[in-house]
Amino acid sequence: MSIIGIIRIALKSLTRNKTRTFLTMLGIIIGVAAVITMLAIGEGAKKVVDDQISSMGTNVIMVTSNFTNTQNTARQAAGSGNTLEEEDVDAIRNSVDGVLFTSPVYNTFGQLKYGNSNWRGRVMGVDVDYFQIRDLSMESGDTFYASDVESGTKVCVIGKTVADNLFAGIDPVGKVIRIRNIPFTVRGVLRSKGASASGMDQDDIVLAPFTTTSTRLMGHRWRFLTIFVSAESKERIPLVQEDILNLLQNRHRGTTADDFSVSSQTDIAEAASTVSDTMTILLASIAGISLLVGGIGIMNIMLVSVTERIKEIGIRMAVGAGKRDVLLQFIIEAVTISIFGGLIGILLGVTAAELLGKYMEWSINITAWSVFLSVGFSMLIGIFFGWYPARKAANLNLIDALRYE
Amino acid sequence: MAAKTLISVRGLTKTYQMGEVQVHALRGIDLDIREGEFIAIMGASGSGKTTFMNLLGCLDHPSSGSYSLDGVDVHSMDDAELTRVRNQKIGYVFQSFYLLPRTTALENVELPLLYSKKVLPKDRHAMALNALGAVGLDERAKHFPNQLSGGQQQRVAIARAIVNDPVFLLADEPTGNLDTRTSVEVMGFFQKFHAQGKTVVLVTHEFDISQYTERIITFRDGRIISDVANPNPRNAAEDLKKLPRLDDEPLEAS
Ligand SMILES: Nc1ncnc2c1ncn2[C@@H]1O[C@H](COP(=O)(O)OP(=O)(O)OP(=O)(O)O)[C@@H](O)[C@H]1O
Ligand SMILES: [Mg+2]
């Protein structure tokens, strides 16, 4: 019997038993679609986190004051909650190897005003290096320069959220806004960065020279200094981190060793990737369960029809079909079901993922491996349970196959 | 008789093992069948008729004894040869039909042709229709088995058995589900088939049916207890003319 002939028989048998064919296919479709959708969501979430972390900047190391320790009454009485000083910035810049950029960062909130528009936003006093450290680029206009920092010019650059809220439809460049009633000229608008890993809007921001903000906006008592450092390379990060820690501990001798902490982008990335890995594993388990359920569905429907199929094989062999013919027929049937089920499953899974991405505004990332995994697994199950009764029947005594109950 | 021996069976036994119990379905059968014979096998239920037919049809293996078909020892044949014999040489009508479900009568009859190397795909349809016509079912070609009566299913099974033009036709109670008239029709068909020089062996419980054959073998408890010639078989074609057509005349109240 020719292969073509057997394929024809197999296809006929599939169309003849539409319900069985459909139910078997359904198992595969559900399994494949569920896995693809679930993993697309998981991978999408992971990608968002990855993007957010790389949006932090290049090889960023942060030195932060530990505010909790400043509850020490003696220090508070001394009038400062801050444990880091601007001299620390210079010390890091000058004596730690592998440091490319350093910038002090002062954070405050303030009322922003332009004409009749009001906005309460975050104002950061930074050095020019900050643009490099955070990989900031300009949407329009210009940054400020070292000379501005030196002379404490009242200039600033603003994020997109601030621009949108203060300047509806007007080009902000060159305009004067009031921060806590002090006029600042807008030099430029930052290119949008979206939300940070912690969900903060990175575009809701005003950057100004730290010299200006220190003298004009912030009282000495409330200046909390954070130091941003950019290491030469990713590999250097741990070393630089270590050196900064040692340096600052030396400089701060006499205070408790942990009145500041040094953390890096890598640390944050690791923490975040643990979270997103957990999520992927969770989604993958759900998908795995879907596959299993789909697989059991396939198994069920195929095992239920085993009696009938074994009888069918008996009949075919009694009228002169060879073992090879019936085995091939059954395998072709199973492969056909698996391929079509797999294709429909992929289509459905991708569509579902895209729809979720579009209407739920989830980020979706369909990976090739999820497609291969789900289709491979479903096909394996489908083909096994198509082949299993066939093999069983073909090895039975013909009469036993005919009388099989 | 000059015809050569088609089938030669010696000391054939078949024992089924049912757990502890052994069922001796056949207890030693010796039989020769010449080419072109028309034989009826009779016997009580459970006497081993179907078991014997299955062995003759190369569907099952005996527990002991020898069976040679056309001078070849069946025991020595491999799977491929047995498959070819079942497909080309033997037509088998099963006691319980064994039609494929959800498959039209025509496609059921085509089944042996699908696996035959000798039949061209384009000829299948005509051959199957022809066989269905021979059992008077060409009008039911597109019906599924569950849309056919028991008798009609039986006739589809007969059509399937003869479609490949076998030399040797085995039929296990082919008239078991048929009314008298259709039974005689089927017997007429077997007689015509036999007249072409084919060998036919059928199992029947009905004495009347056995009278259309030329040799009557009786089984009891897995043995042959009688084997007699029927030198003057009835002619089914003639009997048919005498029988009333049920659909022409209303049944008379008795
Ligand atoms: N697969 C089997 N397993 C066990 N015993 C079997 C099997 N097939 C047949 N038998 C037994 O073998 C004996 C002969 O059975 P067989 O079917 O040959 O009878 P039969 O003459 O065809 O009867 P009937 O006229 O009712 O069809 C019976 O006792 C039956 O129970
Ligand atoms: Mg029987």
Side-chain angles (χ1 to χ4, degrees), chain B residues 208-226:
Chain B
D208 285 349
I209 294 297
S210 73
Q211 293 309 299
Y212 292 99
T213 70
E214 294 171 349
R215 182 179 171 190
I216 300 166
I217 296 171
T218 310
F219 274 56
R220 184 192 289 162
D221 286 339
R223 288 195 180 88
I224 294 177
I225 54 161
S226 87

Side-chain angles (χ1 to χ4, degrees), chain A residues 59-195:
Chain A
N59 311 320
V60 177
I61 296 170
M62 281 176 297
V63 187
T64 48
S65 301
N66 282 347
F67 297 105
T68 45
N69 283 349
T70 63
Q71 280 173 352
N72 176 318
T73 42
R75 291 188 68 87
Q76 268 197 341
S80 172
N82 197 15
T83 56
L84 292 168
E85 296 160 303
E86 277 169 27
E87 288 73 34
D88 292 332
V89 183
D90 298 326
I92 291 170
R93 180 180 301 141
N94 296 331
S95 57
V96 177
D97 280 345
V99 167
L100 273 188
F101 305 104
T102 48
S103 168
V105 176
Y106 292 102
N107 264 293
T108 189
F109 277 88
Q111 198 64 34
L112 312 175
K113 241 182 137 160
Y114 175 76
N116 292 327
S117 311
N118 268 287
W119 183 248
R120 192 173 159 73
R122 195 146 53 100
V123 181
M124 293 170 91
V126 298
D127 204 345
V128 285
D129 275 7
Y130 189 73
F131 291 95
Q132 257 78 40
I133 299 170
R134 298 292 315 272
D135 264 342
L136 299 176
S137 53
M138 305 310 293
E139 181 70 44
S140 63
D142 206 352
T143 61
F144 50 82
Y145 295 99
S147 55
D148 297 310
V149 176
E150 249 160 63
S151 51
T153 326
K154 288 182 279 182
V155 293
C156 66
V157 298
I158 60 178
K160 191 170 176 304
T161 306
V162 176
D164 289 348
N165 283 287
L166 287 184
F167 300 93
I170 310 167
D171 180 13
V173 179
K175 304 286 188 308
V176 175
I177 62 170
R178 288 178 167 273
I179 307 176
R180 290 195 189 150
N181 254 333
I182 296 162
F184 280 75
T185 306
V186 177
R187 279 277 173 82
V189 180
L190 292 163
R191 181 158 294 150
S192 172
K193 278 210 147 189

Side-chain angles (χ1 to χ4, degrees), chain A residues 400 403, chain B residues 16 18 23 25 43-51 95 173 205:
Chain A
D400 292 340
R403 298 170 69 126
Chain B
Y16 293 106
M18 302 286 291
V23 182
S45 179
S47 57
K49 305 180 298 291
T50 297
T51 307
Q95 191 168 4
E173 297 197 32
H205 279 127

